Every structure is written in structure tokens, then in C-alpha cells.
Amino acid sequence: MPGTRTVSIAAAALLAASCAAATDRGPREVPKNLNSLEAQASEAFSLALAGDLDALGSASRRLAEQWASVREIAIEDGAGAADVAATDAAIARLEQEVARHAHTASLARAANAVSLHMEKLFALYRPVMPPAILALDFLGREVLLDGLQADFALAAGHADDLAATWSGVR
């Protein structure tokens, strides 16, 4: 049936075009250093949970270097001043928490805070995965930290945010 095949091809083309439009957010691919920044923030979180202060100190310095290498690019590409300032503050806070040998949960929360604005930064570009996935990572780690600190009211709020974000991604 040629009519059915034509409709199927047209439907597939329309679906492909709408998917491309949904992911073609920014002018270009995500800068390599921004990808590295998020990967290192995730690694710093794991190091903080493991209590490896030496490796975490190195990771926090690498985070600062990576952010310095991509910060101006992000600003030129439209990053909001609040997101840039918050990322600056999060990296500085992590370095301070490492220097004062903070408790594991404080270190991990400081490391996770570096990821808080990644969704907005990645949304400036054409990421391979939806930027909201980064928010899911951040919120999931927050729920874990809330549980470690027995702050179940905060965990419930983060779990609600996690469910709402997942609903949007799904």
C-alpha cells in the first residue's frame, strides 16, 4: 500500500525534525572543558564521600582550572550572571571546605553544589543528552546527602524536585 508507506515516511520525517529542533538549542556543541568540568564535579563528589582529602584537593584545583578555561566562553554564549556567580562561589566553597578538612557530608555537598547550574550551562549548547539529566544527577546526590545527614524533611523536598524533573524528562 503506497499510501500507508508515504504516511509512515512523512510521520518519521516529522518526528525526526521535531526531535532535532528540541535538541538543537545552542549555536554549537558543548565545549569540551564544560563536559570535563561536570565529570570532575561528579568525581569530586565521589572522592568526598570516600573521605579522600588529598585526591579531593587535587580535584578541586582541577575544577577551578577547568571553570577558568570555560567561564568566559559560557558568558559569551549567553550564560546568566547568576549561574556564573553561583558556579564561582561553589568552586570557591569546595576549595575552602577541603582546606578546613570539613566533615564528609559537608565536603560532598560542596562538591555537588558545583553541578547545580550545569543544566543551565549545558542548555546553552547542543548537548547529546537533555540537560535535565544533569539536574537528576544533582538532585539524586542531594537526596543521598540528606539521608546521610538524617535530614528527612530536606530529602522529601529534594525527592519531590527529583520526581518533577524526571516527569519532565520522561
Side-chain angles (χ1 to χ4, degrees), residues 88-152:
D88 289 340
I91 290 171
R93 178 175 161 231
L94 176 59
E95 291 177 313
Q96 291 167 354
E97 293 293 295
V98 170
R100 73 177 192 89
H101 302 283
H103 182 271
T104 299
S106 295
L107 288 166
R109 201 167 299 272
N112 198 36
V114 175
S115 297
L116 178 59
H117 297 272
M118 290 297 149
E119 177 183 9
K120 290 180 182 176
L121 294 173
F122 273 72
L124 297 170
Y125 305 99
R126 290 181 302 178
V128 173
M129 67 179 171
I133 298 297
L134 298 170
L136 291 173
D137 284 346
F138 170 81
L139 289 166
R141 292 187 299 250
E142 286 295 303
V143 170
L144 171 79
L145 291 169
D146 298 339
L148 286 174
Q149 294 180 312
D151 190 338
F152 303 116

Side-chain angles (χ1 to χ4, degrees), residues 5-55:
R5 184 169 184 213
T6 302
V7 170
S8 297
I9 292 171
L14 182 59
L15 179 61
S18 71
C19 288
T23 59
D24 189 21
R25 299 177 195 282
R28 60 191 178 95
E29 298 299 316
V30 176
K32 181 180 177 183
N33 288 347
L34 185 57
N35 277 316
S36 294
L37 182 73
E38 176 52 26
Q40 288 176 15
S42 225
E43 176 189 354
F45 178 82
S46 296
L47 292 169
L49 282 181
D52 190 341
L53 279 174
D54 290 336

